[in-house]
């Protein structure tokens, strides 16, 4: 995050806190869940293919406001090199955090995955999506671990 201004660091920290905040599990029948999972799946497919530019292009406003495209491409490239190729991924939890505390106003879905990477067999990923003003879900946060 070297070189990022304080506002962008705080925005990224808020997105990370949102992704890590404990929430009750979402109902499997919730249509928001299915729609958001589809968007996350497509976004992760771009990441798995090494298309960091594509992940940035399809990400939401909060994501883009937090980090410029060139910095994201470099960050994603380094992370993917360190973790290796994605071998398999399974959803372990889907949450719908409510605004308040560390959660900003808006409609969010947080999807947690157990992911096996080539260099990290017991990894995980968290994808945070927001329904934006046009009604579409977009990725606004991504964590690998």
């Amino acid at each position: 995050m070297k070189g990022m201004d304080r506002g962008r660091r705080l925005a990224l920290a808020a997105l990370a806190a949102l992704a890590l905040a404990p929430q009750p599990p979402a109902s499997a029948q919730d249509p928001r869940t299915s729609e958001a999972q589809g968007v996350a799946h497509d976004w992760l497919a771009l990441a798995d293919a090494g298309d960091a530019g594509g992940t940035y292009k399809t990400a939401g406003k909060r994501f883009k406001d937090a980090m410029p495209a060139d910095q994201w491409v470099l960050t994603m490239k380094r992370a993917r090199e360190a973790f290796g190729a994605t071998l398999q991924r399974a959803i372990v939890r889907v949450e719908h955090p409510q605004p308040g505390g560390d959660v900003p106003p808006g409609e969010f879905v947080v999807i947690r995955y157990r992911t096996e990477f080539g260099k990290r067999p017991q990894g995980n990923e968290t994808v945070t999506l927001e329904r934006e003003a046009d009604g579409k879900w977009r990725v606004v946060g991504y964590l690998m671990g």
Side-chain angles (χ1 to χ4, degrees):
M1 285 194 215
K2 189 174 182 180
M4 292 178 72
D5 64 32
R6 186 172 190 273
R8 288 190 179 165
R9 286 194 306 268
L10 289 174
L12 284 176
L15 290 173
L18 172 63
L20 298 174
Q23 301 293 326
S27 167
Q29 289 78 26
D30 189 330
R32 297 176 300 172
T33 300
S34 297
E35 189 178 347
Q37 284 176 345
V39 172
H41 178 271
D42 293 347
W43 193 89
L44 288 168
L46 291 171
D48 292 345
D51 187 359
T55 62
Y56 191 87
K57 182 179 177 182
T58 60
K61 181 176 178 353
R62 287 182 200 266
F63 189 103
K64 292 174 181 175
D65 287 349
M67 183 180 296
D70 59 340
Q71 186 175 357
W72 169 250
V73 169
L74 182 60
T75 300
M76 183 64 136
K77 180 181 177 192
R78 286 180 181 160
R80 288 295 175 143
E81 285 174 356
F83 282 59
T86 302
L87 303 177
Q88 65 179 344
R89 161 186 298 125
I91 294 173
V92 293
R93 188 171 178 148
V94 178
E95 303 156 355
H96 295 270
Q98 298 302 308
D102 291 334
V103 180
E107 186 178 359
F108 297 92
V109 173
V110 178
I111 306 172
R112 299 176 198 276
Y113 298 87
R114 179 78 55 229
T115 308
E116 180 182 349
F117 296 100
K119 296 179 183 176
R120 186 172 286 206
Q122 296 191 18
N124 58 68
E125 296 170 290
T126 302
V127 179
T128 303
L129 300 102
E130 179 178 18
R131 186 184 302 272
E132 293 191 329
D134 64 0
K136 294 184 179 183
W137 289 103
R138 292 194 177 83
V139 173
V140 294
Y142 177 65
L143 297 171
M144 296 173 72

